[in-house]
């Protein structure tokens, strides 16, 4: 697939390398593409990355995302699935920019003809594209209103090493709040571990052991 990734930071670069290894045609979008010649990846202007994309990925800081998307324009984004990985946090990482909502919801509201899927925002970039390096399987979540966009996202997650058994669809776009709000707990866990390379796993009880079944 042709994948346009908005952003050129750690997350964008990790995803770009992961999907290129899987055979996809990836283009990074930057506000200043001329300053990113140091990357071993193709970089273009934001609108060029959007025009290139069959699937668009938001890997920009959540506090800047909406302005950036508006600069591209709704017509250029219409009909293109957008995988949103951004989280809006304060400069000191202690407060959410969207405490009673989520960035994904706000994107979906602002661009109703662009199906948004939230995923991968509950982990560091070091785990996003290398789940096999963790000590056992873990969980990646999907939130969104469009079933086809979720299916496409699921296939792209599989290409990064996330089997279907690790993918958990938790519902519509409003459930993205839970994914984004996990960022505060993520920071606490990272502090306790002394590392950002970890993930969580949803563990259930078998029906035979569950008294409510």
């Amino acid at each position: 697939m042709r994948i346009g990734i908005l952003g050129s930071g750690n997350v964008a670069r990790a995803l770009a390398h992961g999907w290129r290894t899987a055979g996809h045609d990836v283009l990074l979008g930057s506000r200043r593409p001329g300053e990113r010649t140091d990357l071993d990846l193709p970089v273009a202007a934001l609108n060029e990355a959007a025009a290139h994309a069959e699937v668009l990925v938001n890997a920009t800081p959540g506090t800047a995302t909406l302005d950036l998307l508006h600069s591209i324009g709704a017509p250029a984004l219409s009909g293109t699935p957008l995988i949103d990985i951004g989280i809006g946090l304060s400069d000191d990482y202690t407060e959410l920019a969207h405490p009673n909502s989520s960035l994904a919801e706000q994107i979906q509201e602002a661009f109703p003809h662009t199906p948004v899927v939230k995923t991968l925002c509950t982990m560091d970039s070091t785990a996003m594209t290398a789940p096999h390096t963790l000590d056992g399987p873990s969980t990646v979540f999907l939130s969104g209103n469009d079933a086809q966009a979720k299916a496409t996202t699921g296939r792209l997650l599989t290409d990064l090493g996330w089997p279907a058994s690790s993918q958990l669809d938790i519902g519509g776009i409003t459930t993205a709040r839970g994914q984004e709000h996990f960022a505060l707990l993520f920071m606490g866990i990272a502090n306790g571990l002394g590392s950002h390379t970890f993930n969580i796993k949803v563990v259930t009880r078998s029906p035979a052991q569950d008294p409510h079944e």
Side-chain angles (χ1 to χ4, degrees):
M1 297 189 74
R2 298 189 310 276
I3 304 174
I5 303 179
L6 304 178
S8 56
N10 291 337
V11 170
R13 296 197 302 271
L15 292 173
H17 283 297
W19 279 320
R20 287 187 82 191
T21 298
H24 296 289
D25 179 1
V26 181
L27 181 64
L28 296 180
S30 171
R31 284 174 290 190
R32 294 177 292 276
E35 298 178 11
R36 303 316 316 249
T37 55
D38 57 317
L39 304 181
D40 185 26
L41 292 163
V43 185
L46 296 170
N47 62 331
E48 292 178 82
H52 169 85
E54 293 175 275
V55 175
L56 198 59
V57 180
N58 172 46
T60 64
T63 51
T65 297
L66 284 170
D67 286 343
L68 182 149
L69 292 175
H70 281 298
S71 74
I72 297 172
L77 302 174
S78 181
T80 303
L82 188 148
I83 300 173
D84 176 37
I85 302 171
I87 299 177
L89 288 168
S90 59
D91 290 341
D92 61 0
Y93 301 104
T94 62
E95 296 182 12
L96 293 163
H98 312 100
N100 300 309
S101 180
S102 67
L103 174 63
E105 288 176 89
Q106 295 191 10
I107 296 172
Q108 189 63 90
E109 182 178 4
F111 300 92
H113 300 296
T114 300
V116 179
V117 179
K118 191 80 184 189
T119 194
L120 287 171
C121 70
T122 53
M123 65 193 79
D124 185 71
S125 61
T126 53
M128 290 178 188
T129 60
H132 63 282
T133 64
L134 302 175
D135 291 334
S138 56
T139 305
V140 61
F141 305 98
L142 296 93
S143 302
N145 298 336
D146 188 286
Q148 185 173 348
K150 278 184 177 175
T152 298
T153 301
R155 290 193 295 271
L156 291 175
L157 289 173
T158 300
D159 289 341
L160 294 177
W162 296 96
S165 58
S166 290
Q167 299 177 28
L168 183 59
D169 183 342
I170 59 174
I173 199 65
T174 57
T175 65
R177 298 181 191 189
Q179 293 198 56
E180 294 186 24
H181 292 196
F182 178 75
L184 299 181
L185 180 56
F186 177 93
M187 298 303 296
I189 295 172
N191 183 62
L193 292 176
S195 170
H196 289 84
T197 305
F198 64 90
N199 194 28
I200 60 173
K201 177 176 173 59
V202 175
V203 180
T204 62
R205 185 161 57 176
S206 68
Q209 296 175 307
D210 192 339
H212 299 292
E213 289 292 331

